[in-house]
Amino acid sequence: MTDTATDVSVGSDNSRTPSRRSLLAVGGAGLALGAAAAGGAVAVTRTGDDTQPVADSGGAVSFHGAHQAGIATAVQDRLHFASFDVKTDDRDEFVQLLKDWTKAASRMTEGHAVGEGAYGGLPEAPPDDTGEALGLKPSRLTLTIGFGPSLFEKFGLADRRPEALVDLPKFPGDNLDKARSDGDLCIQACADDPQIAVHAIRNLARIGFGKVAVRWSQLGFGKTSSTTPDAQTPRNLMGFKDGTRNIAGTETDRLDRHVWVGAKDTDADSAWMNGGSYLVARRIRMNIETWDRTSLQEQEDVFGRDKGEGAPVGKAKERDEPFLKAMKPDAHVRLAHPDSNAGATILRRGYSFTDGTDGLGRLEAGLFFLAYQKDVRKGFIRVQRNLSRSDALNEYIQHVGSAVFAVPPGVRDSGDWWGRALFSEEA
């Protein structure tokens, strides 16, 4: 949890009606909290590397482009993130799965059913689509795939693992649950309708049955960072604005400098990552009950910003340039700022979560932190080492899940597929 200064296939004939689920939470996650944090989400169309707002908030985000959607795309309000273990040792079978997943993902982001749809087929066979998204709009669904370090231990890929895809070190204060960490690959589904995001992961898991298995998953609501700075800055579950200084999807220079992997960042074996990025996912538990009994002054000192406006210490407006020396030495914003981390900057698109209680009468709640960067060693690791040592916020949070993934470049056209540059010799 860092300050953001770090901080087409033919569709089916199924008709689409406006979503009636935009305020629903899945699995008890958030209810009206998510809606309050949405900050006026808009749909985007995506042409090549560009993201542009459009009028229809239930619209589609283009699946094809030089970079995968779901990174610099305007952040949607809901998340279903899933990590998978690969169960097959047949390379051809796994490659076919990636092709099948790509086709299904393209259809779902357009608002179409998978394959032949959820009904109308052979009564004796399961339908191609699970059906819970029938009648719903695309809701700006994006699907983003990533490959974990352990995948490169399979299929003879050891020499294709990029140097930047490092195993994360153990940081002070970590209490990681192995059952909620790591994975051979991940799928990040973001949408403005929770049912659309869940539908996407469910269908990909169904298609992958026998070849991959879900290792762990996380539902999220109420985005905690924004890639559209002209929109209202969302708040995290601690009540503070989060994402004030995040990289915007329109800042192509900052994206090229800090997020997208370029030719100069790779060698011959890792050139398949050109146009990609690296993702760090961290499940951060918040000690909500302790925080809620903390004085307002201490809360503001912990962050280094005031709770109402979000202005840094000594400033009047949220987006005023912070004067770090005016903050306490252990203030979160001060320690997370690029000036405190040799310029390290990451793109954040995390989400709040609530997963019931811990059995002791306390909410199982916090931040599902997602951060994209050009190099994990120069991004997240550099910042987190600084935060883990002396951040005042550590009294109120604990990292309990962790994973890192190489996110390949985008799917260029209908003949391309997820991971082609890694798995295809001709690529």
Side-chain angles (χ1 to χ4, degrees):
M1 185 174 173
T2 64
D3 185 56
T4 48
T6 43
D7 11 15
V8 113
S9 48
V10 178
S12 69
D13 293 331
N14 296 333
S15 63
R16 296 287 176 241
T17 57
S19 170
R20 294 169 298 185
R21 301 178 179 272
S22 58
L23 298 180
L24 284 179
V26 179
L31 298 174
L33 281 174
V42 296
V44 298
T45 54
R46 192 161 166 271
T47 306
D49 302 338
D50 298 328
T51 55
Q52 299 179 357
V54 298
D56 185 3
S57 62
V61 176
S62 176
F63 181 73
H64 298 107
H67 312 294
Q68 288 195 66
I71 302 174
T73 307
V75 183
Q76 305 93 318
D77 191 52
R78 304 289 175 156
L79 167 81
H80 192 187
F81 188 97
S83 172
F84 294 83
D85 287 332
V86 174
K87 296 301 183 181
T88 180
D89 56 6
D90 186 323
R91 180 187 176 111
D92 291 340
E93 185 177 49
F94 182 68
V95 167
Q96 186 59 51
L97 172 63
L98 293 176
K99 293 178 179 179
D100 293 342
W101 267 7
T102 303
K103 184 177 180 180
S106 177
R107 289 186 61 82
M108 289 189 288
T109 58
E110 293 170 350
H112 304 313
V114 174
E116 298 300 318
Y119 59 89
L122 291 174
E124 299 81 12
D128 288 342
D129 188 280
T130 53
E132 71 273 24
L134 290 174
L136 302 180
K137 289 187 176 183
S139 295
R140 298 196 302 128
L141 172 68
T142 56
L143 292 166
T144 313
I145 196 170
F147 301 137
S150 54
L151 181 67
F152 295 86
E153 300 171 5
K154 310 174 189 292
F155 308 123
L157 296 174
D159 61 344
R160 308 297 301 279
R161 176 176 172 175
E163 291 185 4
L165 183 63
V166 297
D167 295 310
L168 296 180
K170 180 174 174 57
F171 299 102
D174 278 2
N175 185 24
L176 303 182
D177 179 357
K178 290 183 179 180
R180 289 185 176 270
S181 298
D182 305 323
D184 292 332
L185 65 153
C186 72
I187 300 289
Q188 172 194 282
C190 299
D192 288 324
D193 184 332
Q195 184 126 329
I196 293 295
V198 170
H199 168 263
I201 294 296
R202 179 182 176 187
N203 275 272
L204 295 179
R206 180 188 57 78
I207 293 169
F209 183 79
K211 296 175 280 290
V212 296
V214 175
R215 179 182 178 89
W216 56 270
S217 71
Q218 181 66 58
L219 294 171
F221 68 92
K223 60 187 179 184
T224 60
S225 295
S226 173
T227 54
T228 49
D230 53 327
Q232 179 179 341
T233 305
R235 294 180 184 268
N236 57 36
L237 291 185
M238 289 178 162
F240 279 77
K241 290 184 177 181
D242 210 341
T244 299
R245 301 178 62 82
N246 203 24
I247 300 174
T250 54
E251 294 181 297
T252 54
D253 56 337
R254 293 184 75 199
L255 289 168
D256 288 340
R257 190 161 63 250
H258 300 296
V259 179
W260 306 132
V261 176
K264 65 180 181 179
D265 305 308
T266 61
D267 56 22
D269 290 327
S270 60
W272 62 271
M273 271 295 292
N274 289 348
S277 189
Y278 294 94
L279 168 64
V280 172
R282 303 280 281 189
R283 188 174 190 272
I284 304 174
R285 169 86 183 272
M286 292 179 178
N287 301 322
I288 295 293
E289 291 76 16
T290 303
W291 179 258
D292 290 345
R293 295 194 297 271
T294 300
S295 70
L296 174 60
Q297 184 61 61
E298 183 174 343
Q299 290 184 0
E300 293 183 334
D301 287 344
V302 165
F303 274 98
R305 290 183 178 272
D306 73 63
K307 198 168 188 176
E309 166 62 24
V313 172
K315 302 290 185 175
K317 298 296 183 182
E318 174 193 346
R319 302 188 188 280
D320 289 346
E321 186 67 25
F323 179 54
L324 301 183
K325 292 184 178 179
M327 303 175 188
K328 290 184 176 296
D330 58 358
H332 179 73
V333 170
R334 178 172 180 170
L335 293 174
H337 195 278
D339 289 352
S340 301
N341 296 282
T345 304
I346 56 181
L347 185 155
R348 294 185 48 198
R349 50 181 302 130
Y351 289 82
S352 296
F353 70 84
T354 57
D355 292 337
T357 67
D358 63 359
L360 299 174
R362 299 174 299 195
L363 284 174
E364 179 75 25
L367 168 68
F368 190 66
F369 174 91
L370 296 168
Y372 289 89
Q373 60 249 276
K374 179 178 290 192
D375 191 321
V376 175
R377 299 165 295 183
K378 300 176 182 177
F380 175 79
I381 290 177
R382 184 175 288 173
V383 176
Q384 186 57 26
R385 277 180 173 155
N386 200 24
L387 292 173
S388 62
R389 287 194 293 262
S390 54
D391 187 2
L393 191 58
N394 291 337
E395 181 180 348
Y396 304 97
I397 64 172
Q398 188 170 57
H399 291 237
V400 295
S402 179
V404 59
F405 301 95
V407 178
V411 176
R412 297 280 185 161
D413 51 42
S414 59
D416 199 1
W417 42 277
W418 273 337
R420 183 182 66 87
L422 172 60
F423 284 94
S424 177
E425 294 297 332
E426 57 271 21

